[in-house]
């Protein structure tokens, strides 16, 4: 069993997930990530699993490999998520199913399998990803916001169910950050959204990292079931 | 492929020993085949069952290299719960491993 703490980051091939993976590798964690495609250029010591987070057999196989290789898991960061910005009347059911599979089922599967591995040490930290689209009730994001509202409920209930095992479950709700997830959103809409924040600027990676770091601190063992939104929403 | 029920029983027994050691203040879980685990007069409450099932899944993976999910829709839909007694659980696990081997 390695002395270094072991972390799983979902959606690690790009954006915030990739930056988190690189950051925590530099902090001395053993980091295993996943995404549908294998990324180029991630540092040595990073372990990648190419999978769809909603694919149960693939997720179970990933955790079996982690258990065989490392025998432990300390942290799960459930960053993988997809969005579709569209009016509800123009949203096909296929899109709804795809978003729920990745954002809700994927988050659930990783929480479940991670908790099974964490419970042996009676210690673990799970950080899920929500969004300010939930409290802001953004038009054009009905399914994305609904999927993240489900993630918040999951976070709150799992916090209670997993407290028994010494595992905390929290969520961060980023304000808009310039990543691929926002690629299809118009500048005017983004500016309108930012005007609804107390602090009117785009979020940055360091803002997300600060909240994740807070949840991971040993002193945060009495913090669970919480959602922290960025930007003063 | 023949599934060795004795080895499955060994895994289940090891998990029972581990839980009994963890819970010295509770009445011990028995390892007899007909010992009732869960349900009326069972030794596990619902949270105890969670610990037990997770422990058996981990034990099967570590001791037999088998990755099975015990809490499946199939298990829950059965008229007689596979988690009722040690024997019924061992039979259910053997069935799952047999299915996995034939897949």
């Amino acid at each position: 069993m390695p002395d270094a703490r072991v972390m799983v980051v979902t959606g690690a091939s790009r954006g915030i997930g990739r930056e988190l993976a690189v950051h925590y590798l530099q902090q001395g964690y053993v980091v295993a990530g996943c995404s549908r495609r294998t990324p180029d250029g991630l540092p040595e010591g990073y372990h990648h699993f190419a999978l769809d987070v909603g694919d149960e057999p693939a997720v179970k196989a990933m955790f079996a490999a982690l258990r065989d290789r490392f025998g432990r898991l300390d942290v799960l960061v459930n960053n993988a998520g997809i969005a579709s910005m569209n009016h509800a009347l123009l949203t096909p059911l296929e899109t709804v199913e795809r978003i729920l599979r990745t954002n809700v089922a994927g988050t659930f599967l990783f929480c479940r399998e991670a908790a099974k591995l964490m419970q042996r040490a009676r210690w673990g930290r799970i950080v899920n990803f929500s969004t300010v689209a939930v409290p802001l009730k953004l038009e054009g994001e009905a399914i994305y916001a609904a999927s993240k509202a489900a993630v918040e409920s999951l976070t709150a209930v799992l916090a209670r169910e997993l407290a028994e095992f010494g595992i905390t479950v929290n969520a961060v709700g980023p304000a808009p950050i310039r990543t691929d997830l926002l690629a299809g959103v118009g500048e005017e809409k983004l500016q309108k959204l930012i005007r609804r924040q107390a602090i009117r600027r785009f979020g940055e990676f360091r803002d997300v990292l600060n909240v994740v770091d807070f949840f991971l601190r040993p002193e945060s063992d009495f913090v669970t079931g919480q959602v922290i939104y960025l930007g003063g929403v | 492929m023949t599934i060795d029920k004795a080895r499955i029983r060994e895994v289940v027994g090891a998990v029972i020993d581990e839980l009994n050691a963890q819970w010295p203040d509770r009445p011990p879980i028995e390892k007899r085949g007909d010992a009732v685990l869960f349900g009326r007069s069972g030794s596990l409450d619902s949270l105890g069952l969670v610990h037990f099932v997770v422990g058996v899944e981990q034990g099967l993976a570590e001791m037999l290299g088998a990755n099975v999910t015990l809490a499946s829709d199939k298990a829950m839909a059965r008229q007689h719960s596979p988690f009722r007694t040690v024997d019924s659980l061992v039979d259910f696990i053997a069935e799952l491993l047999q299915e996995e081997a034939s897949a």
Side-chain angles (χ1 to χ4, degrees):
Chain A
M1 188 181 287
D3 290 336
R5 285 173 295 176
V6 179
M7 169 184 282
V8 164
V9 180
T10 68
S13 67
R14 56 188 178 173
I16 294 171
R18 186 184 176 108
E19 294 201 54
L20 286 169
V22 171
H23 172 81
Y24 285 107
L25 265 171
Q26 288 166 349
Q27 297 300 306
Y29 277 84
V30 170
V31 179
C34 66
S35 61
R36 278 169 293 188
R37 65 181 183 85
T38 302
D40 298 322
L42 274 162
E44 202 177 319
Y46 168 80
H47 307 266
H48 193 77
F49 294 80
L51 54 80
D52 170 352
V53 294
D55 178 348
E56 186 178 28
V59 174
K60 284 181 69 75
M62 174 180 173
F63 278 90
L66 292 174
R67 187 188 54 242
D68 291 346
R69 187 150 188 179
F70 305 117
R72 64 186 280 180
L73 178 64
D74 301 273
V75 177
L76 165 66
V77 180
N78 253 324
N79 157 78
I82 54 173
S84 171
M85 313 301 176
N86 224 342
H87 194 286
L89 302 189
L90 301 178
T91 302
L93 182 61
E94 289 84 352
T95 303
V96 176
E97 289 170 342
R98 194 165 43 85
I99 291 176
L100 293 180
R101 178 182 163 93
T102 297
N103 296 2
V104 183
T107 298
F108 171 74
L109 279 175
F110 271 78
C111 285
R112 188 187 73 189
E113 294 306 313
K116 286 179 184 176
L117 203 42
M118 290 169 173
Q119 57 88 29
R120 302 197 70 177
R122 293 287 182 271
W123 199 94
R125 295 275 192 270
I126 295 176
V127 181
N128 292 329
F129 268 64
S130 183
T131 165
V132 295
V134 176
L136 291 178
K137 299 169 175 53
L138 297 179
E139 303 97 318
E141 300 192 14
I143 301 309
Y144 177 60
S147 73
K148 292 299 189 176
V151 169
E152 291 190 7
S153 289
L154 197 57
T155 300
V157 176
L158 288 182
R160 290 175 178 274
E161 291 191 355
L162 300 183
E164 158 96 4
F165 300 97
I167 300 167
T168 66
V169 190
N170 293 287
V172 55
I177 296 174
R178 291 200 182 277
T179 64
D180 291 351
L181 203 65
L182 291 184
V185 185
E187 190 61 29
E188 193 185 331
K189 187 174 178 188
L190 288 172
Q191 292 302 332
K192 193 174 157 192
L193 202 164
I194 282 171
R195 283 197 294 275
R196 295 177 69 183
Q197 297 171 192
I199 301 168
R200 294 175 181 171
R201 67 164 171 83
F202 277 93
E204 293 177 11
F205 170 66
R206 66 181 171 87
D207 302 314
V208 176
L209 179 62
N210 180 45
V211 177
V212 175
D213 265 343
F214 167 69
F215 289 140
L216 301 196
R217 288 171 56 188
E219 297 82 358
S220 296
D221 60 356
F222 203 41
V223 179
T224 193
Q226 306 302 304
V227 183
I228 294 186
Y229 297 113
L230 291 169
V233 169
Chain B
M1 178 187 165
T2 310
I3 303 298
D4 185 352
K5 286 192 182 178
R7 295 207 64 202
I8 298 172
R9 200 173 290 280
E10 207 178 297
V11 173
V12 173
V15 174
I16 291 175
D17 287 340
E18 198 179 315
L19 291 181
N20 282 338
Q22 267 179 43
W23 298 330
D25 299 334
R26 300 190 195 183
I29 309 162
E30 292 185 58
K31 288 198 269 189
R32 276 189 353 261
D34 62 351
V36 179
L37 294 169
F38 186 66
R40 187 180 296 178
S41 68
S43 42
L44 295 166
D45 58 13
S46 53
L47 195 55
L49 182 69
V50 173
H51 283 270
F52 180 70
V53 168
V54 170
V56 173
E57 283 185 359
Q58 298 272 340
L60 290 169
E62 284 165 15
M63 294 167 71
L64 304 185
N67 289 305
V68 293
T69 300
L70 298 180
S72 59
D73 287 344
K74 184 179 166 185
M76 301 309 173
R78 292 198 169 185
Q79 197 180 355
H80 300 291
S81 167
F83 306 116
R84 174 85 182 143
T85 64
V86 171
D87 277 345
S88 64
L89 179 62
V90 169
D91 288 345
F92 179 62
I93 293 169
E95 197 183 311
L96 290 179
L97 295 181
Q98 186 67 59
E99 278 172 17
E100 195 183 70
S102 332

